[in-house]
Amino acid sequence: MTTIRFLNGLNTIGGNIVEFATKTSRVIMDFGVAADLSQETVASALEQGKLPHVPELFFNQPDHFSDEAIFISHLHIDHMGALQYLQKDIPIYLSEPSYRLYRLLIQLGIEKPVANLHPLAFETSLAVGDLTVTGFHSDHDEPGVMALLVDDGSRRFAHSGDVRLNGPHADRVHAWANRFKEEKVSLLMLEGTSFSFDTPIPAEDQNHPSVPLTEMSLQTKFQQLLADSSQLVVINPYNRNYERLAAFQASAHVNHVNGRQMVWEPNEAAILTTMTGTQPDAILGQTIQLTDIAQQPQRYVLQNSFANLASLANLPISAYVHSNGEPLGDYDPRFAQLKDWLADHKMPLVFMNASGHAAREDLIELVKEVNPRVVVPWHSFHPEREADAIDAQTNADVLLPEKDLYYDFNPLTEEE
Ligand SMILES: [Zn+2]
């Protein structure tokens, strides 16, 4: 008998963690934080439920599992930010690209060192005692993202991860949805980010007045902006979406009359090369200096992270393009600082964001494709809205579980 316990993230965006356990084996999926832990100790964060209630992993206490492992669906903080607090030496599996990205971010000092990391090949089952886990490549704004399937020998349980259907890899999403349908899954845990807000606009676009873009339409808009700009164009992307980094550099080259060189900060140059094999046009402080850019601003696009904002002060800038970089939105006090600084320096701020999360109707479509027996909506401020929509529009039963209780999803004992 497998028991399922929801350890966090039932009504927050991110921080969603689930545990599957048998008598001897345990699998935990995702290990992120959705709260600010900067003023907390591990003990106080545990007490307040900001870390999942698995003290044995944080204080290296004995547990009764002979086999256990953690699986990370993708490398966003709200899905992996608690790994750094682990004391127990438990194996951690990520997709092969997410594993490489994690190793690189640790090497660059962007992430804290974490031991016992392992790559998990897509669609290759891994046994953890009497549980078997398989990862499926998916589509999100972290390109290594996977959906996960747990098999306990008699039933299958599915985890959507963060997912979208309007991205460049929708075929991957339909492929795993089909596979999950064939597997007749007892449970689909489905993210519900886009049900969080009163308008159906995905989370990270709430603060931005632009129309939501896709990864593809974003680059079309960016190429148009480059064609219309007579001076330097600055971009602020999120560096874990390395496919978008590569797309920006390709867009910079598009206009053959006045194509531009893409200038990267060293960390982003390293991520671009390691993760996509693309060579950076230029690396700031290494192969080019700000003074070079200032002399021919129309020949360049410059990637800038918020920490280096002040270095832009004396450059002739046509547009500062905010593209899901940090700070991401109004909830971050640095976002107001960014807007004020750009206004003070008369630099136009342009939003070009594309969401990693599916629209509401696409989430319903996914439920229909997978056709699970039960859906647990989570990763949303309003999972009950997602629950209502699924209930009204699909054949699946919906459960809004309680945190830290044990469920078995056995059809005979459903009314627990
Ligand atoms: Zn994510």
Side-chain angles (χ1 to χ4, degrees):
M1 172 65 75
T2 305
T3 57
I4 299 174
R5 180 165 62 136
F6 296 90
L7 288 164
N8 229 344
L10 289 168
N11 51 19
T12 50
I13 292 179
N16 48 321
I17 304 173
V18 63
E19 173 197 79
F20 300 86
T22 66
K23 271 202 172 66
T24 59
S25 314
R26 162 161 81 169
V27 157
I28 294 172
M29 289 190 165
D30 282 342
F31 213 67
V33 283
D36 177 14
L37 298 189
S38 57
Q39 307 299 318
E40 305 282 353
T41 63
V42 168
S44 70
L46 262 176
E47 195 170 312
Q48 295 172 64
K50 294 179 178 178
L51 285 172
H53 190 69
V54 280
E56 67 278 13
L57 300 182
F58 294 113
F59 299 111
N60 199 14
Q61 299 156 345
D63 63 44
H64 63 274
F65 299 108
S66 47
D67 294 281
E68 57 184 339
I70 295 175
F71 292 79
I72 301 297
S73 66
H74 66 290
L75 213 59
H76 280 159
I77 312 289
D78 55 331
H79 294 261
M80 46 66 74
L83 292 174
Q84 60 180 298
Y85 306 109
L86 285 170
Q87 290 293 328
K88 180 163 265 185
D89 192 26
I90 180 171
I92 300 157
Y93 292 90
L94 306 99
S95 75
E96 191 275 337
S98 294
Y99 168 81
R100 277 197 291 135
L101 178 61
Y102 202 4
R103 296 279 302 258
L104 177 62
L105 295 177
I106 291 170
Q107 187 191 323
L108 294 172
I110 295 170
E111 284 288 348
K112 297 237 169 64
V114 171
N116 215 341
L117 299 176
H118 305 272
L120 177 71
F122 292 120
E123 298 184 44
T124 304
S125 297
L126 182 87
V128 180
D130 47 19
L131 295 169
T132 302
V133 179
T134 314
F136 298 85
H137 209 175
S138 188
D139 195 356
H140 183 48
D141 53 348
E142 198 277 70
V145 66
M146 51 185 177
L148 291 155
L149 189 68
V150 181
D151 192 331
D152 69 357
S154 60
R155 291 178 303 161
R156 268 93 34 225
F157 309 101
H159 183 316
S160 72
D162 286 4
V163 62
R164 63 183 170 192
L165 273 175
N166 70 353
H169 308 296
D171 53 327
R172 294 175 186 164
V173 182
H174 294 298
W176 64 247
N178 253 314
R179 171 69 184 274
F180 289 2
K181 180 180 192 167
E182 287 166 13
E183 296 282 353
K184 296 192 176 11
V185 296
S186 295
L187 169 66
L188 171 64
M189 291 161 287
L190 182 63
E191 71 125 307
T193 311
S194 57
F195 284 93
S196 294
F197 301 94
D198 293 334
T199 55
I201 297 172
E204 57 263 44
D205 300 323
Q206 282 292 305
N207 298 301
H208 308 135
S210 65
V211 178
L213 300 166
T214 65
E215 294 290 346
M216 299 74 92
S217 64
L218 189 158
Q219 292 303 324
T220 308
K221 194 173 171 188
F222 182 62
Q223 289 164 20
Q224 188 59 51
L225 178 123
L226 292 184
D228 296 343
S229 298
S230 58
Q231 304 279 28
L232 180 65
V233 172
V234 174
I235 61 169
N236 177 11
Y238 189 47
N239 58 23
R240 296 185 193 198
N241 187 353
Y242 42 84
E243 286 187 349
R244 192 183 300 174
L245 302 188
F248 272 130
Q249 179 162 300
S251 286
H253 302 164
V254 160
N255 190 327
H256 65 275
V257 181
N258 45 4
R260 295 169 183 249
Q261 288 224 306
M262 184 70 230
V263 182
W264 301 99
E265 295 175 354
N267 282 351
E268 279 67 21
I271 292 169
L272 179 76
T273 307
T274 304
M275 297 309 300
T276 73
T278 306
Q279 291 305 313
D281 292 341
I283 304 175
L284 192 63
Q286 295 179 14
T287 65
I288 193 168
Q289 307 300 326
L290 286 172
T291 47
D292 303 322
I293 296 170
Q295 281 167 19
Q296 293 185 298
Q298 78 285 359
R299 290 196 50 200
Y300 299 101
V301 175
L302 174 63
Q303 174 264 322
N304 177 265
S305 26
F306 179 74
N308 299 325
L309 184 65
S311 69
L312 303 178
N314 296 315
L315 293 169
I317 290 175
S318 291
Y320 176 101
V321 177
H322 188 278
S323 185
N324 300 103
E326 292 185 271
L328 194 55
D330 281 332
Y331 61 86
D332 185 335
R334 298 176 302 167
F335 195 64
Q337 294 172 30
L338 171 66
K339 287 197 280 195
D340 290 347
W341 192 92
L342 291 172
D344 287 349
H345 290 79
K346 303 196 168 33
M347 295 176 185
L349 172 59
V350 179
F351 289 104
M352 292 194 194
N353 298 286
S355 176
H357 300 286
R360 295 176 186 185
E361 59 271 23
D362 289 346
L363 291 169
I364 300 300
E365 181 58 37
L366 260 182
V367 174
K368 290 179 179 171
E369 283 186 34
V370 175
N371 195 31
R373 193 169 67 77
V374 179
V375 177
V376 165
W378 65 346
H379 196 287
S380 178
F381 290 146
H382 287 291
E384 76 284 357
R385 293 179 184 168
E386 186 176 18
D388 289 346
I390 292 168
D391 201 36
Q393 298 175 55
T394 79
N395 296 326
D397 290 336
V398 187
L399 177 73
L400 292 169
E402 281 183 53
K403 185 173 162 171
D404 292 339
L405 296 187
Y406 292 88
Y407 293 84
D408 62 18
F409 291 92
N410 187 324
L412 299 176
T413 58
E414 201 174 345
E415 315 299 327
E416 46 209 310

